[in-house]
């Protein structure tokens, strides 16, 4: 493309990604341009991107841009973001930028506004995407899916919540905004799975550490598709977060919520976050602006809504306590250079066995020994300290994975989707992150995003 003096362009910039400039002159294959501070730059013409000269005007749909290139698209999104317009279309794709603050653009009034409206009738909004999925289901009689992807902290979890709230409110038996028992149960699964599957990372205070595909089931027998239930399929739960993480991060929310509300379940307990090795490894116990005890009460209420009674909850939380106690089982080298629990480790092992419902001797034997099968025979090998540590952590991760799977199953059984013929799927891909120390699960998550 040819340029001339006075053209508005974007040039690559290490700090800003792209820098807005004005062409001064063309010198062969190079462009000499200047920014708003009149700093001059010489850039190869092939690296220069043309943009609209009217930088004050932003469009709702990127396909309406005069120039379709990365720089022009990012400039348009930035202009809208500065006006607190966090949504922008690219045809039927919605680009959302996390505002990191509450913006009054959700709720029943906005839901009513977008019900039945085609994309483009109103400002870009996640409700419009949810409405389009429902209207497509209704008109084509075919199942639909919405994919929500992006890096960690982009706002995927909250976006999925808004989609679920819209569909639950619109597709139920009652009027918009009046949720029946089924729709409440569908929404109750969200705080439970967040508590057990989300965590604070260095980039995101509520990062989903698992992938989730939610199917909202519909019956198409009446005049309009009606929601009959839901099911959740999860994948790539970052179980290793329980036993280790980077400094400044937390394990799964539920452990801190449990400790904050512990005395409501176990009045005689005097435990603190620092008492547990698994919780203290990240050196981070709280999140600014988050009341873990309040969140714990929300989770317990949601569990009751899904039919998980208080006595079952107490068993579940006792099991989680057992995992924390298991993390306190420290080992030392015995006279035979094999592992044995330290004095405090033996005490923790006893407490863990009680909470986990395992005989203390059996648990001790499992942590200190490995069975090898060779030539049709079983050989028991006593583990050194390092391998005993790994066995303890592997056992804790295995149990937590089973707990999470049980919760997902409980959520699915509460809203089974009777007579379902079609569905709207919502795929929430876990966030892309690169840590100083990366778990295998994180590599898989990043690969999934790519």
């Amino acid at each position: 493309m040819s340029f001339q003096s006075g053209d508005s362009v974007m040039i690559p910039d290490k700090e800003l990604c792209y820098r807005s400039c004005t062409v001064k002159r063309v010198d062969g294959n190079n462009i000499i341009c200047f920014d708003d501070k009149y700093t001059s730059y010489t850039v190869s013409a092939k690296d220069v991107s043309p943009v609209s000269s009217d930088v004050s005007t932003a469009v709702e749909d990127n396909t309406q841009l005069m120039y379709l290139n990365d720089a022009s698209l990012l400039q348009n999104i930035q202009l809208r973001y500065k006006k607190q317009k966090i949504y922008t279309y690219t045809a039927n794709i919605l680009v959302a930028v996390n505002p990191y603050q509450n913006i009054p653009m959700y709720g029943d009034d906005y839901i009513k506004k977008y019900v039945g409206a085609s994309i483009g009738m109103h400002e870009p909004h996640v409700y419009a995407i949810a409405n389009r999925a429902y209207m497509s289901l209704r008109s084509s009689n075919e199942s639909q899916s919405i994919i929500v992807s992006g890096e960690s902290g982009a706002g995927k979890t909250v976006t999925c919540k808004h989609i679920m709230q819209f569909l639950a409110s619109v597709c139920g038996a009652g009027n918009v905004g009046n949720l029946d028992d089924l729709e409440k149960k569908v929404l109750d699964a969200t705080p439970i799975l967040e508590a057990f599957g989300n965590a604070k990372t260095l980039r995101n205070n509520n990062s989903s550490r698992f992938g989730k595909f939610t199917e909202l089931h519909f019956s198409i027998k009446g005049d309009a598709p009606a929601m009959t239930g839901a099911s959740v399929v999860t994948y790539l739960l970052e179980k290793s977060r329980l036993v280790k993480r980077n400094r400044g991060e937390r394990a799964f929310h539920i452990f801190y919520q449990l400790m904050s509300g512990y005395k409501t379940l176990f009045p005689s307990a005097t435990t603190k976050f620092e008492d547990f090795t698994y919780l203290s490894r990240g050196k981070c116990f709280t999140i600014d602006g988050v009341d873990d005890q309040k969140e714990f009460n929300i989770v317990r209420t949601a569990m009751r809504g899904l039919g998980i009674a208080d006595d079952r909850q107490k068993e579940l939380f006792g099991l989680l306590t057992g995992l924390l106690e298991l993390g306190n089982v420290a080992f030392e080298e015995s006279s035979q250079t094999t592992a044995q629990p330290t004095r405090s480790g033996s005490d923790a092992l006893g407490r863990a066995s009680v909470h986990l419902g395992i005989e203390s001797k059996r648990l001790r034997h499992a942590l200190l020994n490995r069975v090898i099968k060779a030539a049709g025979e079983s050989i028991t090998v006593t583990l050194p300290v390092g391998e005993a540590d790994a066995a303890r952590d592997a056992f804790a991760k295995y149990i937590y994975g089973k707990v999470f799977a049980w919760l997902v199953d409980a959520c699915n059984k509460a809203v089974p989707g009777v007579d379902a013929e079609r569905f709207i799927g919502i795929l929430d891909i876990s966030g892309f992150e690169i840590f100083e120390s990366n778990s295998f699960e994180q590599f898989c998550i990043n690969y999934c995003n790519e």
Side-chain angles (χ1 to χ4, degrees):
M1 180 175 179
S2 60
F3 296 94
Q4 60 185 13
S5 178
D7 284 350
S8 296
V9 296
M10 286 282 195
I11 64 173
D13 187 274
K14 291 182 178 180
E15 294 182 4
L16 303 177
C17 188
Y18 290 100
R19 182 179 293 274
S20 179
C21 291
T22 301
V23 175
K24 184 176 182 180
R25 70 176 188 274
V26 179
D27 184 9
N29 292 327
N30 293 326
I31 304 294
I32 291 85
C33 54
F34 59 90
D35 61 13
D36 56 357
K37 296 181 180 179
Y38 296 100
T39 302
S40 182
Y41 303 89
T42 301
V43 187
S44 173
K46 64 182 178 61
D47 295 327
V48 176
S49 301
V51 294
S52 173
S53 59
D54 187 1
V55 297
S56 62
T57 303
V59 297
E60 295 181 354
D61 192 325
N62 286 318
T63 60
Q64 298 171 355
L65 291 169
M66 181 179 296
Y67 301 103
L68 284 175
N69 54 60
D70 290 352
S72 184
L73 184 146
L74 290 173
Q75 181 193 50
N76 185 57
I77 293 173
Q78 183 182 43
L79 289 172
R80 291 181 56 78
Y81 185 76
K82 288 180 178 179
K83 299 176 182 179
Q84 289 196 329
K85 296 181 178 181
I86 64 172
Y87 295 122
T88 306
Y89 292 128
T90 302
N92 291 326
I93 299 171
L94 182 71
V95 179
V97 184
N98 194 336
Y100 293 101
Q101 60 178 299
N102 291 321
I103 297 179
M105 56 187 302
Y106 307 100
D108 292 344
D109 290 341
Y110 279 88
I111 289 174
K112 292 174 182 177
K113 177 180 177 181
Y114 283 89
V115 170
S118 60
I119 287 181
M121 286 184 63
H122 304 297
E123 277 274 323
H125 202 290
V126 66
Y127 287 164
I129 299 297
N131 177 71
R132 185 175 189 275
Y134 178 67
M135 297 304 293
S136 296
L137 170 71
R138 186 171 181 173
S139 61
S140 69
N141 197 24
E142 295 290 341
S143 297
Q144 306 292 316
S145 284
I146 301 171
I147 299 176
V148 184
S149 65
E151 65 181 347
S152 183
K156 298 183 298 301
T157 299
V158 174
T159 295
C160 288
K161 284 184 187 177
H162 291 315
I163 293 172
M164 296 273 287
Q165 288 167 349
F166 179 92
L167 293 173
S169 182
V170 170
C171 306
N175 296 324
V176 173
N178 297 321
L179 300 179
D180 60 24
D181 184 60
L182 170 64
E183 293 146 15
K184 289 177 181 177
K185 285 182 177 180
V186 169
L187 297 179
D188 276 342
T190 298
I192 297 173
L193 296 182
E194 277 193 23
F196 283 81
N198 289 24
K200 179 191 181 303
T201 66
L202 294 176
R203 299 183 59 185
N204 185 357
N205 287 344
N206 188 33
S207 178
S208 296
R209 309 318 302 158
F210 69 105
K212 178 176 62 175
F213 183 65
T214 303
E215 289 186 0
L216 300 180
H217 299 293
F218 292 86
S219 171
I220 56 174
K221 293 179 180 178
D223 295 334
M227 188 185 300
T228 63
S231 63
V232 178
V233 177
T234 63
Y235 58 93
L236 293 178
L237 175 67
E238 191 188 25
K239 298 185 291 291
S240 59
R241 178 161 292 273
L242 168 61
V243 302
K244 64 178 181 179
R245 68 208 68 92
N246 293 315
R247 189 181 182 90
E249 297 187 341
R250 302 206 311 180
F252 298 104
H253 292 323
I254 189 59
F255 291 102
Y256 307 89
Q257 295 170 2
L258 174 60
M259 290 298 101
S260 297
Y262 207 74
K263 288 193 174 182
T264 62
L265 290 170
F266 309 100
S268 61
T270 58
T271 53
K272 301 178 182 178
F273 296 124
E274 295 85 349
D275 291 336
F276 297 106
T277 301
Y278 281 166
L279 296 187
S280 62
R281 283 180 174 169
K283 304 298 181 184
C284 178
F285 307 111
T286 58
I287 300 174
D288 292 341
V290 175
D291 185 339
D292 282 316
Q293 184 168 349
K294 180 180 178 181
E295 295 298 320
F296 185 56
N297 293 334
I298 292 173
V299 170
R300 296 202 67 192
T301 300
M303 284 183 167
R304 295 186 192 105
L306 292 180
I308 304 175
D310 285 1
D311 57 345
R312 178 65 79 177
Q313 290 184 33
K314 192 168 184 177
E315 292 175 1
L316 176 63
F317 296 133
L319 188 60
L320 297 184
T321 304
L323 296 181
L324 295 180
E325 292 286 4
L326 189 64
N328 286 351
V329 180
F331 301 101
E332 61 185 2
E333 195 173 88
S334 68
S335 58
Q336 289 80 29
T337 69
T338 55
Q340 66 179 15
T342 62
R343 179 175 295 182
S344 62
S346 293
D347 294 339
L349 191 149
R351 294 191 296 270
S353 65
V354 172
H355 286 294
L356 296 174
I358 304 172
E359 186 180 7
S360 180
K361 289 182 179 180
R362 293 188 64 189
L363 180 58
R364 179 189 175 100
H365 185 271
L367 296 179
L368 297 179
N369 299 275
R370 181 174 73 246
V371 177
I372 300 176
K373 291 185 177 181
E377 295 184 3
S378 296
I379 303 172
T380 300
V381 179
T382 307
L383 301 177
V385 172
E387 292 186 20
D389 285 336
R392 175 202 60 213
D393 292 346
F395 182 60
K397 290 187 290 183
Y398 175 81
I399 294 297
Y400 191 74
K402 290 296 183 181
V403 168
F404 190 76
W406 180 86
L407 279 169
V408 172
D409 186 57
C411 292
N412 289 338
K413 287 180 177 178
V415 282
V418 179
D419 297 326
E421 298 160 291
R422 299 290 184 272
F423 68 84
I424 293 179
I426 305 167
L427 178 61
D428 180 4
I429 301 176
S430 299
F432 184 99
E433 292 207 34
I434 300 177
F435 300 108
E436 183 177 339
S437 176
N438 294 279
S439 67
F440 173 72
E441 294 99 333
Q442 187 62 51
F443 280 120
C444 291
I445 288 167
N446 290 351
Y447 179 72
C448 182
N449 273 278
E450 291 290 343

